[in-house]
Amino acid sequence: MAPKRKKVEVEEEEARAQVEVEEEDEEEEELAFSRNYFLAKEVGSASGKRSAARKVSEINLVDDQLLRASLSELPTKHEKEIGSLLESYKGLYSNWLFELRCGFGLLMYGFGSKKALLEDFASSTLTSYTVVVINGYLASVNLKQVMTTIAEILWEHYKCKAKTSTGKKQQTQLPNGLKSVDDIVTFIVDISDDCNCSVCLLIHNIDGPALRDPDSQQHLARVSCCSCICLVASIDHVNAPLLWDKKMVYTQFKWSWHHVPTFVPYKVEGLFNPLILFSSGHVQTTKTALVVLQSLTPNAQSVFRVLAEFQLANEKEEGMHVSELYTKCREQFLVSSQVTLNAHLTEFKDHKLVKMRRHSDGQDCLHIPLPTNALEKLLQELV
Amino acid sequence: MAKHQSSPQSASSQGANSQDANHTLEPFFVLHKAQPQATVVEKVSKSRKGRKKRIESSPKSPEKSKRTTSDEQPSNTLYEQWRFKAFNEIWSLIQSSIEGVLRDINLKLFNEVLQWIEDSFSEIKSNVKLSSSEILQPYPLLADTLCRKIPTAFVLTKNAEFVDDIQTFCDLGSHLKANRCHVANMSALDFSLKFGIGGSVRSLLRQLHSEPLDGKIADMLTLAKWYCEEENNDKPIVVMIDDMECCNADVLGNFITMLSEWVMKIPIFFIMGVATTIEAPKNMLPSDALQHLNPCKLTLGTPSDRMNSLVESVLVEVCYCFSLGHEVSVFLRNYFLRHDGTITSFISALKLACSKHFSLESVSFLGLYMLDQDSEERWSEKFVYLPESMKRCVLNLHSCKSEKNLQGGVGSIVQQLSDLKASQRFWSSVVLCLFEVARYSKMQFLDIFCEATDPKMYCMNGSENSLKKHFRCGDKNSTARSSSGVGSITRVIHTIREMPVAALSNLLDKWNNHTEEMTEINEEVKKLQSVLASVDEGKVYEENLHNIRNRKSVSFISGKGNSANEKVAMLLDAMIRKYMKPLECMTLHEIICFRDVDVLQSGLIGDPRKTIQLDLLKCHSYLSCSCCSSDAKNLSPSMHDTSIMYKLAQEFGDVINLYEWYQSFKTVLTSSSQTSRKKGRPSPASKKAKPLPPSETEALIQARFCGAVTELQISGLLRMPTKRRPNFIQRIAFGL
């Protein structure tokens, strides 16, 4: 068990931090050398004082629930000014549309959430386009599903056109016969010339977590240069342009950059980011939980599933009693004895997948520290 | 965390309706389906006032905002459609010109490739004759391994960026297709480790088959079957890989080895683009794959040659309907030379400039009639139907303000437009003459173009002898100036003075064609041609060119000034002074001339790294609220949270202590006055006030702090704390 656990921990860490921790010290040294002398001195002196550096725990942290509640109720500063800033961009909508029609892709950047702005632009100006919105800020975006939807939209138009033009055979196969994203994208590219419809892909955060990988960007780039598809996208990360090579920028996406700072809070975009002052330390996320679970035995996964399904079905309950879990698991032949279940539970608790709580009736109960939607997603991905 | 979902975005709620709120957590959704075409641009352009000035670095002139009134909405849409139509026509003209130029440049290479394929193909055919049953045998033919070599052309692209060559390879593909070849245009993506050799073969088959594979197994036997079909047989199969060095070496190696097994049965040819040297394939490919290649080396033209041809045909010959202002030309020149030196980026910048011009300049649609033979009639017709407001737009153009003649009415405007057209024709003729000399001395056309569009130069030339003075001055410093591009025209004239007679005579022949519309100049050219001819007859110019050159330069230095070279130089001087009037010096030039370099630059180069930081540091300039101080250094509690946090972060080094940062932030938020204070380190008071009971205020401050950190994290300006160093956040971006 021990070596396995070690392996799991390493994987968990990778997923959680996304940055190699082991290289950190080297990195720090490099920084000290590579930056100028004075800055190096400053870092040196800072590290000298580090033993006396104040800790986060010294901040009088409030309860998680209270923190979340306050965050959701935060009044937006400068609401009026932000409103008039957004209003002022409406004057540019016609220019943006002009550029889209000229064959450019619109790339919006600048500080602040651009979600509302772009959707307003799409719903008020892009009326002649079928607009497909991708919420790239969500890690759950599945590009295959998106591409399938686009293919279906195009296919519908293509079929209509093929029916009207008598001589033309339907040469391409149906979208549901397509297997990989690559196939679907190729299908879209093939039929796009013969479609007389206009589809606009509106991508919030094309630099988002699910779209950041080179493959997704390649697929998007290939789709964006289809004659009947245009692209409106937003970026928020300062290094987002590094996602694209010259071929993508000049011949596929054909970006026209627009600086549109909105200063609207990133409420939806930051929804799944762990809060920095979360008192319980590291927050379990779907991704980290998935990494851990996938490395466990199928039986352990099933035990977790029983607990998770209970929690989803009884959202108002504080948790599931251990004895109840044991009964259910035994019924399903997942565990043979309490000892086996305890072994699984220890594993879960070690990886912070499950927390022990004292129920109001005095008994210990088990609780998964994940929000409902994250839990649902986790179960979907665990299949 | 789920609680956030239901909370509506207060500030952003204007555009979002309740349906949108439900969509925020869906990975994707269809916002709406397309409506009938009639409503395309109806709902656009409401107000163009207020902050627009800040949004675009170079906004429209105030006149333009004045004229957008609500009663003109429908007609605005109409003008927009006109402008879009004008853009489409003009850009397609420019694009076909670009395509033509690039095709012509590459034609020689294309024909070379074709010849090579035809020769190799006929050689293979003469050696091996197989029936279809033999071709379809799944095992290789027993033949000498030496014969199992695939003829391969390595095309040296002489271009570190392969982006330019993508189009070249596409053109080559269509050229070969038109000449009885099967062509598969593959790229590095088809040779990735992820899909392996299966992906490569599938991609090859997909390109060769006109119909989709429909679940057929992608293997060589399928290819062989396809090749045995009557309409496909008896043609070479050309596999082109545009960026060979970017391919995965193992996959490509296996692909080559596999194809070589079949090369006796299916005549396959490779054309591979190599960006570096001819040694690259040797270094990259495994030796067993390399031995199956029968290499041949071909070379593409350099980007600067292509650029010269583009400038000549696109910027000078097709400049009547859309042209670039001096500043834009200089920007594009620098963009080409300093950015990445690719033609593709230059063309995309040109297209963006063109679309910005037609999108922003309300009367730009008038430029379309510059192309017509009967432009004057077309303008007159158009002006009859134009409402007063649009006519006013024309008269309000900056270049018209000083022009009193224009107040006369439609006739005078049309007259001015015709003058503009004629002047542009003369201008381009003179520039073409300059290019002819530049071609001889291998100068960059773009430098000359930039100088020829400079209105200051023309103003300077206006005064008596100033041109000469300029040239003399240029003579002295010509070497110093040449690198900066200033004084290119001076160098052109200097070149003429040193040209041998034969070259001079060639030059005059070409000038004769270019100056047909300028009768006065054309006559002079003809006279000079006859003078040169008589010189040719009188003296036998069998001497080598070197001697001639020496003698001419001696005569120039001795100050005679009446040699043929000097006369040609004087003629060019006169042409420049009289006919090369830059577009920006003409009335109504705004209709066809794009000058807004800031707009172009911001559309082309986003630079989010700098801009997003600036947004945070100077948020007041965007929000322009009354509650915060416009002074960037003052921090007030009313400021945007993330902005306060980012300003505070500037005080730290590479890493930020979370506790100190939080305390500073708290102090800013709780300080009632806007007094400037030492930032970065918490004040002793705030440290002492640490054990505050967890109250609503504390929760609110912590929530604000968390929100701001999340926002900075989304912007990529911070790296979150790690397990090893939980109390520190790492800064990522330093400086602007």
Side-chain angles (χ1 to χ4, degrees), chain A residues 301-313:
Chain A
Q301 289 183 10
S302 303
V303 173
F304 183 83
R305 184 176 286 279
V306 171
L307 182 59
E309 279 166 0
F310 175 86
Q311 189 168 320
L312 286 176

Side-chain angles (χ1 to χ4, degrees), chain B residues 103-170:
Chain B
R103 209 180 302 117
D104 289 349
I105 283 189
N106 293 323
L107 200 61
K108 192 171 151 258
L109 176 90
F110 289 179
N111 286 330
E112 248 176 85
V113 172
L114 190 65
Q115 189 58 46
W116 166 75
I117 289 176
E118 280 170 357
D119 293 349
S120 313
F121 186 55
S122 55
E123 196 180 328
I124 291 172
K125 270 208 314 192
S126 62
N127 288 336
V128 190
K129 275 180 186 154
L130 295 171
S131 65
S132 23
S133 61
E134 279 173 308
I135 292 178
L136 286 173
Q137 280 170 357
Y139 47 84
L141 284 176
L142 288 174
D144 187 2
T145 43
L146 283 174
C147 295
R148 279 177 32 204
K149 283 197 168 187
I150 308 175
T152 307
F154 292 112
V155 179
L156 293 182
T157 56
K158 282 191 181 179
N159 203 349
E161 291 288 350
F162 76 94
V163 66
D164 275 354
D165 308 319
I166 298 171
Q167 191 54 45
T168 312
F169 277 87
C170 280

Side-chain angles (χ1 to χ4, degrees), chain B residues 432-444:
Chain B
L432 286 175
C433 291
L434 286 170
F435 285 174
E436 292 302 340
V437 188
R439 207 190 308 275
Y440 169 79
S441 60
K442 294 199 169 51
M443 281 168 72
Q444 289 298 309

Side-chain angles (χ1 to χ4, degrees), chain A residues 191-290:
Chain A
I191 65 167
S192 66
D193 285 340
D194 295 326
C195 290
N196 54 353
C197 67
S198 306
V199 176
C200 176
L201 259 184
L202 174 57
I203 309 176
H204 298 302
N205 283 86
I206 196 170
D207 55 349
L211 304 176
R212 234 168 244 183
D213 58 305
D215 283 350
S216 300
Q217 293 295 331
Q218 281 293 351
H219 293 316
L220 289 174
R222 280 182 65 198
V223 166
S224 72
C225 57
C226 291
S227 55
C228 64
I229 295 178
C230 63
L231 206 64
V232 180
S234 69
I235 55 165
D236 284 309
H237 200 284
V238 288
N239 292 335
L242 301 179
L243 290 171
W244 310 302
D245 60 28
K246 289 211 162 69
K247 181 184 171 189
M248 289 157 105
V249 169
Y250 295 129
T251 65
Q252 294 177 317
F253 286 125
K254 295 175 213 139
W255 293 129
S256 167
W257 293 72
H258 291 271
H259 180 220
V260 282
T262 62
F263 294 93
V264 174
Y266 288 106
K267 284 207 169 166
V268 210
E269 291 89 338
L271 203 57
F272 295 107
N273 287 40
L275 297 181
I276 186 95
L277 296 180
F278 202 73
S279 54
S280 52
H282 289 284
V283 187
Q284 191 64 264
T285 65
T286 317
K287 201 176 170 189
T288 54
L290 191 66

Side-chain angles (χ1 to χ4, degrees), chain B residues 527-588:
Chain B
K527 267 186 210 167
L528 280 171
Q529 272 179 312
S530 58
V531 169
L532 270 187
S534 65
V535 168
D536 266 339
E537 281 164 18
K539 292 185 179 181
V540 186
Y541 269 86
E542 295 297 321
E543 301 139 279
N544 63 41
L545 295 179
H546 184 72
N547 288 346
I548 296 171
R549 192 174 166 156
N550 281 348
R551 196 166 61 224
K552 290 296 162 194
S553 53
V554 166
S555 76
F556 173 61
I557 292 164
S558 63
K560 269 187 178 176
N562 53 2
S563 67
N565 290 51
E566 190 59 33
K567 279 177 185 161
V568 176
M570 294 300 282
L571 177 64
L572 183 61
D573 185 317
M575 265 200 271
I576 292 169
R577 243 185 295 174
K578 191 162 183 189
Y579 292 107
M580 205 180 74
K581 191 173 182 184
L583 186 59
E584 283 173 87
C585 300
M586 297 292 295
T587 314
L588 295 177

Side-chain angles (χ1 to χ4, degrees), chain A residues 4-13 292 295 351:
Chain A
K4 189 172 183 183
R5 187 179 296 175
K6 200 168 183 181
K7 188 186 158 202
V8 171
E9 274 172 5
V10 171
E11 284 180 7
E12 187 184 353
E13 188 146 288
V292 178
S295 62
H351 294 294

